[in-house]
Amino acid sequence: MTTPKILLVDDTKLFLELEKSFLKLSPVQVLSASSGEEALEIARKEHPDLIFMDITMPGMGGIACCSALKADSMLRAIPVIMVSSHGKEEDLEMCRKAGCNDYLTKPIDRRLFLEKARFFLDAIERRDVRVTCETLVTFTANGVSRSGVSADLS
């Protein structure tokens, strides 16, 4: 079984690093691009299983890149989740027309990002690693004082 590939596209390094950090627990290969042109080049070479792409970038923006991906018979099946700084209805409509599969707004919520990714890829882990926790407890039940250990409570 091959490792799934996710392409993250944003001209702002901070957002790329944030999205990469969301995927750190998932057994996926993360690719990144900082422009629509670079994203198309990587998509043609690597055939990612999922793409998260910013709408607004210098040069070829996310809408134009998504349209180009969906027009290419070799790439059109790749799910594209568009990411917008504004969340305006016009952005959402442009994304739909470009053929994107889903939509997120910044600031990106980790839980929602992973939920949307998991819809397209089963390999996405949505939870953080659980830490084992034990603590001594004392309680009274029916007038009798008792003590014990509480373990791994959520």
Side-chain angles (χ1 to χ4, degrees):
M1 181 177 203
T2 61
T3 302
K5 298 175 190 174
I6 297 179
L7 175 57
L8 306 175
V9 187
D10 200 308
D11 61 313
T12 305
K13 190 166 177 63
L14 174 70
F15 286 113
L16 285 176
E17 293 305 316
L18 180 65
E19 291 172 5
K20 283 179 189 176
S21 76
F22 293 161
L23 296 166
K24 70 179 182 239
L25 298 176
S26 298
V28 296
Q29 180 183 354
V30 177
L31 310 166
S32 63
S34 59
S35 69
E37 295 90 352
E38 187 182 5
L40 275 176
E41 185 180 315
I42 291 171
R44 288 182 178 124
K45 181 181 172 195
E46 298 288 338
H47 290 7
D49 300 287
L50 177 62
I51 299 173
F52 281 90
M53 185 161 15
D54 187 27
I55 289 176
T56 309
M57 295 180 285
M60 178 186 273
I63 301 291
C65 184
C66 183
S67 293
L69 287 164
K70 297 303 182 175
D72 186 319
S73 62
M74 300 297 288
L75 304 174
R76 72 171 46 119
I78 300 170
V80 177
I81 299 174
M82 300 300 292
V83 182
S84 170
S85 299
H86 310 292
K88 296 184 285 189
E89 187 58 38
E90 307 90 72
D91 288 346
L92 186 53
E93 186 57 33
M94 287 190 308
C95 289
R96 283 189 194 115
K97 286 180 180 175
C100 82
N101 299 83
D102 210 336
Y103 183 87
L104 271 172
T105 57
K106 294 178 183 176
I108 300 171
D109 176 87
R110 178 189 168 280
R111 182 192 53 76
L112 189 56
F113 177 91
L114 294 174
E115 216 172 84
K116 288 184 181 281
R118 179 128 175 105
F119 181 81
F120 297 103
L121 288 177
D122 288 340
I124 302 300
E125 182 53 58
R126 293 177 291 184
R127 292 180 280 252
D128 286 326
V129 176
R130 294 195 74 167
V131 177
T132 301
C133 176
E134 287 187 0
T135 186
L136 296 173
V137 294
T138 303
F139 60 95
T140 303
N142 298 325
V144 178
S145 184
R146 301 182 184 262
S147 62
V149 176
S150 168
D152 297 335
L153 294 178
S154 294

